């Protein structure tokens, strides 16, 4: 096995048989990756001080770091994003190079690229989050069409793309 999966204090990663985890990702300790989820090259998922969970059909983009965090179902975590002690609920999108620390991102929300969500934030469902520090606006009060955004970045498409990379994933 070429992947970088490591046990930590008796806890070993649990990767579903239908998940796609890059051989170039590092998975440590109490980490669960659900069915049809995909974890791309350069990612680090570290479940040492608390578990890391990646839900069904979620996509963790290249170079993302997840530490002691939970990602729901059909979530998109963009390239280079950092989640530390965070919860990202079902159907949300966390943009490229965003940081979410000790915070909750509500169901169906969109976190813009480069956003910093500091400790203590609890972003309501279906919100648009942007800036540093983050500013939150209900999606209904923006011109953003969330269906178009989620379709453009569909995690289902990423699962299909992962399946086409025969040598990159286990």
């Amino acid at each position: 096995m070429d992947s970088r999966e490591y046990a930590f204090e008796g806890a070993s990663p649990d990767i579903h048989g239908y998940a796609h985890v890059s051989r170039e990702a590092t998975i440590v300790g109490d980490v669960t990756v659900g069915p049809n989820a995909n974890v791309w090259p350069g990612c680090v998922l570290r479940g040492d001080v608390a578990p890391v969970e990646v839900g069904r059909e979620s996509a963790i983009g290249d170079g993302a770091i997840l530490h002691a965090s939970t990602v729901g179902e059909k979530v998109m975590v963009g390239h280079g994003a950092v989640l530390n002690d965070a919860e990202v609920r079902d159907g949300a999108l966390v943009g490229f190079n965003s940081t979410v620390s000790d915070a909750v991102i509500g169901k169906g929300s969109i976190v813009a690229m480069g956003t910093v969500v500091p400790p203590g934030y609890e972003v309501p469902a279906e919100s648009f989050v942007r800036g540093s520090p983050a500013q939150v606006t209900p999606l209904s009060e923006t011109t953003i069409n969330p269906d178009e955004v989620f379709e453009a970045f569909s995690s289902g498409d990423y699962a299909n793309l992962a399946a086409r990379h025969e040598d990159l994933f286990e």
Side-chain angles (χ1 to χ4, degrees):
M1 179 183 331
D2 292 331
S3 68
R4 298 175 184 156
E5 293 181 21
Y6 304 97
F8 178 78
E9 294 183 346
S12 296
D14 180 13
I15 312 298
H16 191 278
Y18 290 118
H20 298 278
V21 176
S22 169
R23 300 169 194 264
E24 300 298 322
T26 302
I27 314 294
V28 180
D30 190 0
V31 175
T32 303
V33 179
N36 297 315
N38 48 88
V39 178
W40 290 80
C43 289
V44 176
L45 281 61
R46 188 160 52 90
D48 50 9
V49 300
V52 169
E53 298 176 14
V54 177
R56 173 187 304 271
E57 297 181 29
S58 289
I60 311 302
D62 304 67
I65 299 171
L66 280 64
H67 182 240
S69 294
T70 300
V71 171
E73 295 184 359
K74 296 185 178 183
V75 168
M76 297 289 300
V77 176
H79 309 309
V82 176
L83 303 180
N84 183 69
D85 196 22
E87 179 182 354
V88 181
R89 295 191 176 144
D90 296 349
L93 183 149
V94 177
F96 301 155
N97 296 311
S98 294
T99 301
V100 181
S101 184
D102 193 21
V104 176
I105 305 300
K107 180 178 180 178
S109 290
I110 299 172
V111 178
M113 291 183 279
T115 297
V116 176
V117 182
Y121 270 49
E122 184 156 345
V123 174
E126 299 179 5
S127 293
F128 177 56
V129 187
R130 76 243 176 253
S132 178
Q135 297 177 349
V136 179
T137 303
L139 276 168
S140 61
E141 295 178 15
T142 71
T143 59
I144 296 168
N145 181 332
D147 293 334
E148 287 179 7
V149 172
F150 292 120
E151 182 66 28
F153 296 99
S154 167
S155 58
D157 287 346
Y158 264 83
N160 294 335
L161 181 60
R164 293 175 20 219
H165 281 278
E166 294 176 15
D167 294 333
L168 188 59
F169 295 93
E170 310 238 353

